[in-house]
Structure formats: structure tokens, C-alpha cells
Amino acid sequence: MAATPATGPTVLEDHLTRLAAALLPLRDAEHLLARWGGELAWTLARGGRLLVAGNGGSAAEAQHLTAELVGKLRHDRQPLSAIALHAETSALTAIGNDYGYDEIFARQVRAHGRPDDLLLLLSTSGTSTNLLTAAHAAHDTGLRCWAFTGPAPNPLADLCHDALAVPSDDSQVVQELHLVAVHVLCEYVETALPAALAARAPAGGVRTGVEVVLGDPDPEVQAR
């Protein structure tokens, strides 16, 4: 029996059409991702950390980012401190049980965050209460707060210092382009990292302190 010819777009064609429509405007995020990559590299090189969180598919995207930073994207380098708050399952369930689901990320931000650390929140809607509460905790704790969201304006984008908003009403498309942004962000981090690490190192290898030289009957104490 002959197959009935398709009379309209296939599921794949329809999805790719929606993806392409949102992909072209993503080019406008180039300068934002470059700036974020530089800021993140300098923060991590100075011993700061990145905290990330999301719900559902956005949680998976956020954890993908931390894996790239703690591991590597392309080339071997030192590990970078990045924590996916939603992956702390015992803390997550304890906080949710004792303080409510809206506090599951905010309480961890207060526990782990230090002034000048970074918090990145991922949401397709930009309306998740637990992420909004985490953003408020970031402001209270002195963290810079960034967001990956769907179409702006939305409450999360408005609450964060900076936001990358994907202009699509399809949450699948938003999540897929968030992954593109994650990879580009990591590229910029790894590009900026050598300069950030070099700036952190003492100039000229100057050593300070007291050194005890062993091997003589009378140990010589030399100030350096």
C-alpha cells in the first residue's frame, strides 16, 4: 500500500522553522555573551564561584553549564568553581520540606554565595517563584545575578542585573537556544581565562616570608 503523501510540514520541519526564527535574533546576544564570559573568567580566576539553578529542562541546561566549567569545554585547564543548586538533592528536599518550595534555591544562595560571586538563573517563562526568590536572595547577599529566559519583558529578567532573553513562545526552542548560549559563554570564559589567571599571579614571582634552609649544623634563616 502506497504511503499517503504529506500535505503540510512534518513535525521536524515545523520545529526547525520555529528554531530558525529564534536563532537569527540570538546573534544580537554576541556582545552580551562575550562580556559575561570575560566577567565570569575574572570572577572564577579570583577564587569566586558561579551558582546556577533552573527547573525541569532548564535545570538540565544549568547542570550542563556547570559540567563544562568544572570539567572542560575544549582544552585542558584548571577546574572552575560552579555549583548547580538543583543538583543538591538532600538540601533541596530538606529545604522544600521545612521552608517551602519557593525557598529551595534562595536558602542555598545565602549559604554558598559570597559578595561578587555570580548567580545564573535559567527559566523559559521568567516567572518561576523559586527563581525570583533566589534572585532576591542574590541581591541581599551581594551577588551579581544573570538570567537566561524566554521572551522579555518578564519578572526574572527585570529582577536580574543582566538577561539573555530568547524571543520564542516555544519552551523547547528556548531551552535549545539556551544550550547554544551555554556553549558560547563557555568559549568566551576559556578565551578570557589565561589573562585573568595571569593578572592574579604575583608579578615577577616575588616570594615573601621566612625560609629555613636545612643541611647546615646551624640552620640559616633567610628573609626573602
Side-chain angles (χ1 to χ4, degrees):
M1 181 177 178
T4 303
T7 58
T10 66
V11 171
L12 177 59
E13 289 170 338
D14 180 60
H15 187 90
L16 291 177
T17 297
R18 287 181 279 113
L19 185 61
L23 184 60
L24 289 177
L26 189 64
R27 293 176 183 274
D28 295 336
E30 177 81 25
H31 295 298
L32 176 65
L33 290 170
R35 177 165 59 82
W36 281 10
E39 290 182 26
L40 184 52
W42 283 81
T43 295
L44 299 176
R46 293 196 304 267
R49 61 168 57 110
L50 174 69
L51 307 179
V52 299
N55 296 297
S58 294
E61 303 287 0
Q63 202 163 339
H64 190 122
L65 172 58
T66 60
E68 302 285 21
L69 294 174
V70 177
K72 65 175 182 177
L73 182 67
R74 294 190 184 277
H75 306 294
D76 191 29
R77 53 157 171 77
Q78 71 175 63
L80 303 173
S81 181
I83 301 172
L85 301 181
H86 53 273
E88 295 286 340
T89 54
S90 293
L92 201 75
T93 53
I95 296 166
N97 186 63
D98 294 342
Y99 297 96
Y101 194 74
D102 292 348
E103 288 290 328
I104 59 172
F105 300 134
R107 191 167 179 84
Q108 293 188 76
V109 169
R110 296 187 186 99
H112 300 304
R114 301 293 182 267
D116 298 324
D117 283 350
L118 285 161
L119 174 67
L120 176 59
L121 303 171
L122 290 81
S123 172
T124 59
S125 68
T127 61
S128 301
T129 304
N130 57 6
L131 297 178
L132 297 174
T133 307
H136 282 294
H139 287 294
D140 294 342
T141 312
L143 279 71
R144 285 171 289 165
C145 187
W146 298 340
F148 283 177
T149 74
N154 63 70
L156 184 60
D158 292 342
L159 191 55
C160 291
H161 295 98
D162 267 326
L164 185 153
V166 174
S168 174
D169 294 324
D170 188 326
S171 61
Q172 296 176 40
V173 169
V174 172
Q175 288 173 357
E176 287 159 9
L177 294 187
H178 282 175
L179 180 56
V180 172
V182 161
H183 284 150
V184 174
L185 176 61
C186 289
E187 290 267 15
Y188 276 118
V189 169
E190 293 196 348
T191 298
L193 190 61
L197 291 172
R200 182 194 66 176
V206 176
R207 298 170 60 192
T208 60
V210 174
E211 181 179 276
V212 178
V213 181
L214 301 179
D216 258 297
D218 298 316
E220 179 186 0
V221 178
Q222 297 180 338
R224 298 285 181 97

